[in-house]
Amino acid sequence: MPSQPLGPADYSQTPRFAGPPTFGLLPRIDEVEAQRPGEKIDVKILGVPFDAGVSYRPGARFGPAHIRQSSKLLRPYNQATNVHAFTWQQVADCGDLGVNPFDIEEAITEVERTADEMRADGAKLLTLGGDHTLALPNLRSLHKTHGKIAVLHFDAHLDTWDTYFGAPYTHGTPFRRASEEGLLDLESCMHVGIRGPLYGEKDLEDDAVLGFQIIRSDDYQFTSVQEVVARMRKRLGDAPVYLSVDIDVLDPAAAPGTGTPEAGGMTSRELLNSIRGLQGLNVVGAEIVEVAPAYDHAEITGLAAAHVGYEMLSLWAAERNGLTGPSGPSGEALGA
């Protein structure tokens, strides 16, 4: 019989603020391997402190550490979905991956290679960024296993531009490159939370050709979270889904600590409930990117990102426990 998953540090013995610098005070991968030898790790959390692809404010290289610091108040039971995020599956924090901060293409190659290695045993990978350039190597890795991927992309921006100052690999280009490389399911991809000025109408025309439909930030005000979730689930269907969350999808009031903020964004409650609505879908990988702590205040952005990561882990815990649709109070509110 498999042993019980190794969970977070014992809060009754060590106060959270003094606990280990891991996501949610969860065990490191070496601790899991030592205490549960030969048993599978279901989810691996990897930080990638890389921001050489940013176009405006730098600092997302410090995002992984900030998200972990802000995650210490997370607890094992998700009351919104009735899911035990840390005990229905074995989660391990794998620390940070050091990549070349001066050579973007070399860094992309290293992230892809590492993702391949970490997923080789069937584990799911949650990436803490870092800037959005990281989406491309993660999609390259997932494509090798799952074929064409449906990207569900929460962001203020399209990130399907061609080049910036002639550079093909930046945080604004990963999904164009992924589409051009044949990695995406063109009938299933979707942006959520898009807003703000563009260079022109052609940005939207090009984006549609690359395979994306758009749910704008304003749609949450003019319709409802329930309707948005229904649209997402219809678009994604049973495709393998890569969940990519750029923290700037949130309004700057909810996430000031990011590199390219845009007014008029989502609330953290809207974002968390949107992710909860994905329960039961085939989410094969996930990332949280663009947390830049130098612009944060009182850990507002870090806390939001930590809770996004918690909901991602809850999706996988629900899957392991056989839940096929949204559950708990959130599921009832969404009409599941």
Side-chain angles (χ1 to χ4, degrees):
M1 289 287 293
S3 62
Q4 180 72 15
L6 186 63
D10 186 344
Y11 310 135
S12 67
Q13 299 298 317
T14 303
R16 288 177 175 83
F17 51 81
T22 59
F23 186 88
L25 303 182
L26 286 160
R28 302 187 312 266
I29 188 170
D30 61 299
E31 294 174 317
V32 176
E33 290 173 341
Q35 296 186 45
R36 303 185 76 219
E39 294 190 19
K40 186 177 182 296
I41 297 174
D42 301 300
V43 183
K44 298 175 182 177
I45 301 173
L46 176 68
V48 186
F50 172 86
D51 65 359
V54 300
S55 58
Y56 195 55
R57 302 194 304 199
R61 66 183 61 185
F62 301 108
H66 191 61
I67 295 170
R68 289 187 177 101
Q69 171 62 33
S70 302
S71 72
K72 290 188 173 185
L73 271 176
L74 296 175
R75 298 175 178 89
Y77 174 63
N78 188 332
Q79 64 171 315
T81 57
N82 195 27
V83 166
H84 296 262
F86 297 159
T87 56
W88 285 357
Q89 60 189 348
Q90 181 62 71
V91 186
D93 193 321
C94 301
D96 287 347
L97 174 65
V99 296
N100 192 329
F102 303 107
D103 188 323
I104 291 180
E105 292 191 48
E106 181 182 316
I108 288 172
T109 298
E110 180 62 16
V111 172
E112 179 184 353
R113 184 192 65 77
T114 302
D116 288 346
E117 290 181 355
M118 290 202 158
R119 296 189 313 100
D121 60 358
K124 301 285 179 64
L125 181 63
L126 170 58
T127 302
L128 308 179
D131 76 51
H132 223 151
T133 311
L134 302 174
L136 179 60
N138 281 322
L139 285 167
R140 286 175 174 173
S141 177
L142 287 167
H143 182 264
K144 297 170 190 173
T145 305
H146 300 283
K148 292 184 182 295
I149 304 294
V151 170
L152 182 61
H153 172 219
F154 287 86
D155 202 324
H157 311 96
L158 300 171
D159 289 359
T160 51
W161 286 284
D162 189 10
T163 62
Y164 194 60
F165 283 83
Y169 301 107
T170 76
H171 73 161
T173 67
F175 300 115
R176 178 181 285 260
R177 298 287 91 82
S179 185
E180 291 171 344
E181 293 178 17
L183 308 180
L184 306 186
D185 179 346
L186 303 187
E187 301 300 318
S188 303
C189 294
M190 179 172 273
H191 305 296
V192 182
I194 301 301
R195 64 188 187 277
L198 298 172
Y199 296 106
E201 292 180 26
K202 191 174 185 299
D203 291 347
L204 297 172
E205 295 166 358
D206 289 351
D207 188 75
V209 171
L210 294 167
F212 286 88
Q213 289 186 0
I214 295 174
I215 294 175
R216 290 177 169 79
S217 180
D218 286 343
D219 290 341
Y220 282 86
Q221 177 176 347
F222 299 137
T223 59
S224 65
V225 174
Q226 185 181 53
E227 184 171 325
V228 168
V229 167
R231 289 173 61 186
M232 290 192 303
R233 293 182 71 92
K234 181 178 180 181
R235 176 71 172 170
L236 296 168
D238 59 1
V241 177
Y242 186 62
L243 179 54
S244 179
V245 175
D246 183 328
I247 206 64
D248 74 23
V249 74
L250 296 176
D251 189 86
T258 192
T260 49
E262 302 278 0
M266 296 165 57
T267 67
S268 55
R269 182 169 57 238
E270 289 167 341
L271 176 57
L272 296 179
N273 277 298
S274 297
I275 296 172
R276 290 166 187 157
L278 303 176
Q279 191 168 293
L281 300 186
N282 183 22
V283 179
V284 297
E287 67 185 1
I288 311 161
V289 297
E290 302 289 351
V291 173
Y295 313 103
D296 205 7
H297 168 68
E299 290 187 279
I300 295 172
T301 313
L303 288 167
H307 281 268
V308 167
Y310 182 71
E311 296 300 336
M312 291 171 168
L313 294 177
S314 296
L315 291 178
W316 286 325
E319 178 185 346
R320 285 192 55 77
N321 207 49
L323 299 179
T324 58
S327 61
S330 289
E332 294 170 8
L334 293 170

